[in-house]
Amino acid sequence: MEIQEKVCFEEDLNLDFLDTIKELSHCEEIDRCIQCGTCSSSCPDAAYMDFTPRKIMALTKGGFEDTVLKSFTPWLCASCYSCQVRCPAKIKITDVMYAIKRVAIEKNKYPSRFPIPVMYKEMHKILTKNGRSSELWLMLNLYLKTLNPFGLFKMAPLGLKLIKTGRMSIKKESIKNKKQLKKLLKAVKEET
Amino acid sequence: MKEYIYYPGCSAKTNAKHYEESILPVFKILGVELEELPDWNCCGATASMSVDDEKSAAINGRNLSIAEKAGKDIIAPCAACYLSLKKANNFLKEGSKESEKILSKLEKLGLEYKGTVTVKHPVEVLVNEIGINLIKEKIQYELRGLKVASYYGCQVVRPFTEFDDVDYPQSMDILLQALGVETVDFTAKTKCCGGALSANLEELGARLNYIIIKEAQKKGADAIVTLCPLCLFNLEIMQSKIKKIYKEDFKMPILFFSQLMGLAFGLSREEMGFSRSLIQTKQIWDKIEIGGINV
């Protein structure tokens, strides 16, 4: 029998990872996880995940930073908050997933060739630039970024239906005071 | 009751125009004029929380500050906007070092926020403040004969709501029953539609939406009624994908609760944006025409 599990030595771990995630998720309770699995059984997307939410909690506690950051799991979290409201240890699991996503983006370790991180980054870029999001432009950017013109082709019939029912805006939506928004977003990233 | 200001969110201006087209006149009939939040910006939804939480809090802080200046509470019909505004509001009021930093940056740009704004969902306001009695008084046409599954999705009921249950909420059911509509015992009412993931991960999206629509069909619902633009969108567009994968063509109409309220208040199908539906709504008209009662 071949053993599939990869061995991870303590040297490969980041024992500060738990503290980083605690701080970023504003959740001190991760330590209290008893591996009961309520989160995984509440999760609508667990079947598609490489590590279930319960495993992500254990890996995070154990300092398996690389494994966690490269996992698809946080990107498959649809933010339904089912796990979060049910967790008997009151861990804000959805917020932990958000924290993992942000660290993965910051360290550029999120799974490549997967549309969700690209979509979130593009959407965030558009809405912080214009103050509003525009689906059409988001879709165009997304398919260009993922080099998937076929995807765009597949979406065309839906796009036409939405235009026909008046549910798609062609113009780039925008707020009036873009200058203020730009200043604000620049300021929050400065220390003082 | 403090006055409300309306935060439409991006969806109500694009793919969910019929949500705005029905909510505003319905509230007007009930004596509440909903003025739009001046120069509101996008809430950032799940995207900004995934990329940059400081910016997410700041852009929501901008909206909260504008509402505070107007002296009004926010009414947010979109589930993602509702959650984002509530999340940022809780954070900005917690008094931590991080939240004080964002507040000071807001203040420097003339966007001071003291934390006096409350964020509410229209269903909450309709049921708990305006009240079922007033709603019943305004009914001109009882929608008898129509049986629906009321679907709440996730982000209005979890994790911040104070007005209903996280797993089996009742508010929208009570509202629809007041209109004469029968609501089925819908155990999938807070199951997830996949949110922003569904359109990009179609197999996952098809599965999640199949579970919801199938449950509604088994319970004998003629339509699914919802309170979230993204839920409505997913439940509509995923039906063609479901047809391919599960070989079932549901043709299940998906409606906003406010569209049915408008009909019951005597407004026309055209005014309530029924022509914007991507799924044929003819079968529900037949039911309402047979069972409906003029009041």
Side-chain angles (χ1 to χ4, degrees):
Chain A
M1 196 180 85
E2 200 183 335
I3 296 172
Q4 300 276 338
E5 208 79 4
K6 212 179 110 195
V7 177
C8 196
F9 296 97
E10 199 173 335
E11 282 299 297
D12 307 328
L13 303 178
N14 175 4
L15 300 177
D16 296 330
F17 185 57
L18 173 63
D19 285 338
T20 309
I21 295 300
K22 270 187 186 174
E23 196 192 326
L24 291 174
S25 60
H26 305 281
C27 174
E28 279 295 318
E29 286 84 359
I30 310 178
D31 281 343
R32 293 169 53 187
C33 175
I34 49 162
Q35 292 289 295
C36 71
T38 303
C39 47
S40 299
S41 54
S42 306
C43 181
D45 297 346
Y48 297 92
M49 291 171 172
D50 45 357
F51 299 100
T52 59
R54 177 183 66 85
K55 287 183 181 170
I56 290 288
M57 291 303 128
L59 288 164
T60 304
K61 274 173 80 175
F64 291 78
E65 179 180 9
D66 231 46
T67 313
V68 172
L69 295 184
K70 285 177 179 164
S71 164
F72 288 92
T73 299
W75 305 100
L76 286 166
C77 168
S79 303
C80 79
Y81 293 87
S82 287
C83 53
Q84 184 153 330
V85 298
R86 287 179 186 169
C87 176
K90 298 200 162 37
I91 301 170
K92 293 192 261 176
I93 302 165
T94 312
D95 292 332
V96 171
M97 294 295 174
Y98 274 121
I100 296 169
K101 285 185 259 194
R102 294 196 297 270
V103 178
I105 285 182
E106 198 188 301
K107 300 201 170 178
N108 210 12
K109 283 200 174 163
Y110 57 87
S112 57
R113 304 186 63 81
F114 191 56
I116 308 302
V118 190
M119 173 185 72
Y120 283 157
K121 280 172 72 178
E122 282 305 308
M123 189 177 157
H124 177 74
K125 206 162 95 187
I126 292 176
L127 70 91
T128 45
K129 188 174 163 224
N130 302 320
R132 302 257 168 102
S133 90
S134 315
E135 284 135 7
L136 179 64
W137 295 96
L138 173 64
M139 283 299 166
L140 287 174
N141 282 8
L142 185 60
Y143 289 118
L144 282 174
K145 281 271 153 71
T146 50
L147 300 173
N148 181 10
F150 183 66
L152 201 59
F153 191 66
K154 255 181 24 189
M155 289 301 250
L158 173 63
L160 288 176
K161 261 195 204 170
L162 289 173
I163 290 171
K164 216 175 117 193
T165 50
R167 289 169 64 180
M168 175 107 92
S169 155
I170 311 287
K171 72 170 200 282
K172 266 189 193 158
E173 301 286 331
S174 166
I175 59 167
K176 285 191 204 97
N177 203 344
K178 274 162 75 169
K179 214 184 239 172
Q180 184 189 49
L181 186 70
K182 197 178 166 186
K183 276 188 194 159
L184 174 66
L185 294 172
K186 191 167 166 256
V188 292
K189 287 291 142 195
E190 288 160 1
E191 272 316 305
T192 51
Chain B
M1 192 166 95
K2 206 165 147 191
E3 274 186 61
Y4 289 105
I5 199 153
Y6 165 64
Y7 177 81
C10 302
S11 299
K13 297 293 177 189
T14 52
N15 68 58
K17 272 191 188 144
H18 44 326
Y19 203 6
E20 178 169 289
E21 286 163 352
S22 52
I23 277 223
L24 297 182
V26 159
F27 269 82
K28 197 172 176 183
I29 289 172
L30 293 164
V32 182
E33 285 275 358
L34 290 177
E35 191 192 310
E36 192 169 309
L37 188 76
D39 206 32
W40 57 273
N41 56 262
C42 172
C43 73
T46 47
S48 290
M49 285 180 208
S50 304
V51 179
D52 191 324
D53 61 335
E54 284 179 317
K55 288 187 177 175
S56 170
I59 57 177
N60 283 291
R62 182 177 178 271
N63 290 325
L64 289 163
S65 163
I66 298 173
E68 190 172 73
K69 272 200 192 84
K72 291 179 181 175
D73 281 338
I74 290 180
I75 200 163
C78 166
C81 303
Y82 173 81
L83 181 137
S84 303
L85 285 162
K86 263 186 130 57
K87 193 173 201 169
N89 204 15
N90 290 348
F91 168 71
L92 292 173
K93 285 198 263 189
E94 78 182 16
S96 65
K97 203 178 82 199
E98 294 93 342
S99 64
E100 292 300 321
K101 180 187 155 189
I102 307 284
L103 285 172
S104 79
K105 308 284 181 180
L106 282 162
E107 196 183 340
K108 273 181 200 154
L109 287 159
L111 292 164
E112 187 190 19
Y113 183 57
K114 294 196 203 82
T116 59
V117 175
T118 307
V119 180
K120 291 199 174 165
H121 192 271
V123 167
E124 173 182 13
V125 175
L126 285 165
V127 176
N128 295 342
E129 289 171 31
I130 292 173
I132 295 298
N133 286 341
L134 183 64
I135 291 168
K136 278 190 171 161
E137 269 174 37
K138 301 289 178 189
I139 291 174
Q140 296 189 13
Y141 189 71
E142 266 192 44
L143 305 176
R144 299 265 172 208
L146 187 63
K147 206 167 159 182
V148 305
S150 67
Y151 175 66
Y152 299 71
C154 306
Q155 300 201 333
V156 169
V157 290
R158 286 186 300 266
F160 297 120
T161 181
E162 288 135 30
F163 74 96
D164 217 328
D165 189 68
V166 293
D167 282 320
Y168 201 81
Q170 305 273 0
S171 312
M172 188 165 51
D173 293 72
I174 293 168
L175 191 57
L176 293 167
Q177 285 157 13
L179 311 176
V181 176
E182 187 185 337
T183 61
V184 301
D185 173 24
F186 191 41
T187 42
K189 57 166 71 171
T190 58
K191 289 240 188 301
C192 181
C193 74
L197 307 182
S198 285
N200 286 286
L201 305 172
E202 288 183 322
E203 253 175 63
L204 178 151
R207 180 171 175 266
L208 297 184
N209 288 279
Y210 176 82
I211 293 169
I212 297 160
I213 303 171
K214 186 74 184 177
E215 172 74 16
Q217 189 203 44
K218 278 179 178 265
K219 287 281 162 75
D222 305 314
I224 295 176
V225 178
T226 187
L227 45 67
C228 167
L230 189 53
C231 296
L232 178 125
F233 190 68
N234 280 337
L235 287 166
E236 279 191 325
I237 66 166
M238 282 296 141
Q239 289 190 40
S240 59
K241 195 73 196 173
I242 288 170
K243 194 174 152 192
K244 269 186 210 141
I245 298 178
Y246 296 92
K247 311 282 179 256
E248 277 185 68
D249 192 6
F250 286 115
K251 293 197 171 70
M252 177 71 77
I254 318 291
L255 312 169
F256 288 118
F257 70 93
S258 44
Q259 289 179 289
L260 289 180
M261 287 188 79
L263 282 189
F265 288 173
L267 300 169
S268 72
R269 294 174 202 180
E270 204 44 52
E271 285 171 302
M272 290 298 96
F274 275 88
S275 59
R276 297 199 191 276
S277 184
L278 300 181
I279 313 280
Q280 271 268 7
T281 50
K282 192 183 174 301
Q283 66 261 44
I284 59 176
W285 300 120
D286 298 344
K287 298 240 170 165
I288 296 175
E289 264 157 32
I290 294 166
I293 304 165
N294 277 313
V295 181

